[in-house]
């Protein structure tokens, strides 16, 4: 099977001055993931490597540089899902883990459960030998300043405008034909402590099934949850796999676009998604002003968002 990889750095009103950094971050994530896939490595390793790069990049709302909650603290959510076994590993509301996607993978591979939250998730990180950090290490000045503005303005939505977003995700297909998808986020700016969005929820922010494809979503979580967007997209892919071969080439983009239309029409939401179908064909769509994304074209070159 020919490997394939697609990544995103969030669907939102990315300000002009952040566009280049978002492009560079997506390119570095593609490099990290593709290096693994090209030498026959697993989709799981590739998704983890790509998302670690994006979590470590402060331009994105995941890991270091995440938005702060109302109390001025980061609370991180992440998930990775294996399309062969349909097992996921998910964590939510973690504060002391630099790379929540690594912890999500530990849950996937070494835990009898599929999702752990808060203190229990952090305890599992320690048991698994993952380093825990001081939560302050994940806070950057840009987010501290945004939080101060929000606090002074009673957390009104205007203060979030042009600032809200930057969730990250990746979907990979490896030579063995496995599809893995992952998503990681700091969630929404000035969220209530304990708020969990779509990102770490199976079928909402992420889904993968080797029989159809894999998906990672971004955008307004409370709306994405209403239409269970990632699973909906995989179901669209599943149905289009039965379509006439002439229609199949367009199927990934058609599935992504149909989801974004549904998000707007049925849930009044804004966001986007990336996906690979089971043959590795990429697709993406968004109804926000911009989305940061990148994928590997059939000739091996990297295509990143304009
Ligand atoms: N979907 C994320 C959340 O609601 C935020 C985002 O993707 O921008 O937590």
């Amino acid at each position: 099977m020919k490997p394939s990889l697609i990544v995103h750095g969030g669907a939102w009103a990315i300000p002009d001055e952040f566009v280049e950094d978002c492009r560079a971050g997506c390119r570095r994530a593609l490099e990290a993931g593709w290096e693994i896939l090209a030498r026959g490595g697993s989709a799981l390793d590739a998704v983890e490597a790509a998302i670690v790069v994006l979590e470590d990049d402060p331009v994105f709302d995941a890991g270091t540089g995440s938005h702060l909650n109302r109390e001025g603290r980061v609370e991180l959510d992440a998930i990775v899902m294996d399309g062969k076994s349909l097992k996921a590993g998910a964590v939510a509301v973690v504060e002391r883990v630099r790379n929540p996607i690594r912890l999500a993978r530990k849950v996937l591979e070494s835990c009898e459960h599929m999702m752990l939250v808060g203190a229990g998730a952090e305890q599992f990180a320690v048991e698994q030998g993952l380093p825990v950090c001081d939560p302050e290490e994940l806070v950057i000045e840009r987010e501290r300043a945004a939080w101060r503005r929000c606090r002074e303005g009673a957390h009104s939505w205007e203060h979030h405008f042009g600032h809200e977003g930057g969730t990250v995700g990746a979907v990979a297909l490896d030579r063995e034909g496995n599809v893995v998808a992952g998503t990681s986020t700091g969630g929404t700016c000035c969220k209530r402590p304990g708020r969990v969005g779509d990102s770490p929820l199976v079928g909402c922010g992420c889904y993968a099934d080797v029989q159809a494809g894999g998906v990672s979503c971004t955008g307004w979580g409370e709306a994405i949850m209403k239409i269970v967007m990632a699973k909906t997209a995989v179901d669209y892919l599943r149905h289009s796999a039965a379509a006439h071969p002439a229609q199949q080439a367009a199927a990934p983009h058609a599935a992504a676009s149909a989801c974004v239309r549904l998000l707007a029409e049925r849930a009044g939401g804004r966001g986007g998604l990336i996906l690979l179908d089971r043959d590795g064909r990429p697709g993406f769509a968004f109804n926000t002003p911009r989305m940061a994304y990148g994928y590997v074209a059939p000739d091996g070159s990297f295509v990143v968002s304009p």
Side-chain angles (χ1 to χ4, degrees), residues 50-102:
I51 292 184
V52 164
V53 167
L54 296 165
E55 286 177 337
D56 287 344
D57 188 331
V59 77
F60 301 113
D61 172 31
T64 306
S66 286
H67 295 330
L68 306 185
N69 69 11
R70 288 187 184 187
E71 292 177 352
R73 304 198 316 269
V74 293
E75 287 181 332
L76 308 177
D77 308 330
I79 181 171
V80 62
M81 182 162 179
D82 174 45
K84 200 174 279 175
S85 64
L86 297 181
K87 187 171 191 273
V91 295
V93 202
V94 295
E95 299 188 37
R96 297 187 301 144
V97 178
R98 183 175 293 277
N99 293 111
I101 196 69
R102 288 201 199 283

Side-chain angles (χ1 to χ4, degrees), residues 2 9 20 24 34 102 111 127 158 199 204 284 298 302:
K2 200 171 181 311
E20 254 327 299
W34 194 242
R102 288 201 199 283
C111 187
E127 283 170 24
E158 303 91 82
S199 305
C204 293
F284 60 87
F302 293 172

Side-chain angles (χ1 to χ4, degrees), residues 19-258:
V19 168
E20 254 327 299
D21 287 349
C22 288
R23 286 166 53 89
C26 286
R27 194 174 286 279
R28 276 196 301 272
L30 287 175
E31 280 163 8
W34 194 242
E35 193 269 317
I36 291 166
L37 291 170
R39 61 173 157 77
S42 73
L44 183 57
D45 285 343
V47 164
E48 181 184 17
I51 292 184
V52 164
V53 167
L54 296 165
E55 286 177 337
D56 287 344
D57 188 331
V59 77
F60 301 113
D61 172 31
T64 306
S66 286
H67 295 330
L68 306 185
N69 69 11
R70 288 187 184 187
E71 292 177 352
R73 304 198 316 269
V74 293
E75 287 181 332
L76 308 177
D77 308 330
I79 181 171
V80 62
M81 182 162 179
D82 174 45
K84 200 174 279 175
S85 64
L86 297 181
K87 187 171 191 273
V91 295
V93 202
V94 295
E95 299 188 37
R96 297 187 301 144
V97 178
R98 183 175 293 277
N99 293 111
I101 196 69
R102 288 201 199 283
L103 180 54
R105 180 178 180 162
K106 292 281 187 199
V107 174
L108 170 70
E109 293 184 316
S110 310
C111 187
E112 68 273 40
H113 306 301
M114 289 216 332
M115 185 171 202
L116 296 175
V117 307
E122 291 180 2
Q123 187 185 329
F124 185 70
V126 173
E127 283 170 24
Q128 291 293 314
L130 272 188
V132 289
C133 67
D134 180 338
E136 282 298 311
E137 289 173 31
L138 306 176
V139 179
I140 63 167
E141 189 40 42
R142 180 193 72 221
E143 295 302 322
R144 183 68 75 201
W147 176 76
R148 270 193 230 105
R149 278 199 307 277
C150 290
R151 195 180 47 167
E152 282 153 19
H155 303 288
S156 62
W157 286 101
E158 303 91 82
H159 296 291
H160 303 167
F161 208 69
H163 164 69
E164 184 87 41
T167 291
V168 306
V171 186
L173 169 75
D174 62 28
R175 276 198 204 156
E176 307 299 313
N178 196 18
V179 179
V180 172
T183 306
S184 181
T185 188
T188 47
C189 182
C190 294
K191 62 190 178 183
R192 280 182 183 276
R195 179 264 187 191
V196 177
D198 62 299
S199 305
L201 304 182
V202 175
C204 293
C206 177
Y207 200 79
D209 182 346
V210 283
Q211 294 181 354
V215 179
S216 173
C217 301
T218 168
W220 182 23
E222 280 71 12
I224 292 171
M225 284 187 262
K226 287 184 178 174
I227 63 156
V228 196
M229 190 152 89
K231 177 62 161 57
T232 299
V234 166
D235 286 343
Y236 287 157
L237 289 174
R238 195 185 309 276
H239 297 139
S240 57
H244 189 275
Q247 291 165 344
Q248 281 184 18
H253 280 296
S257 300

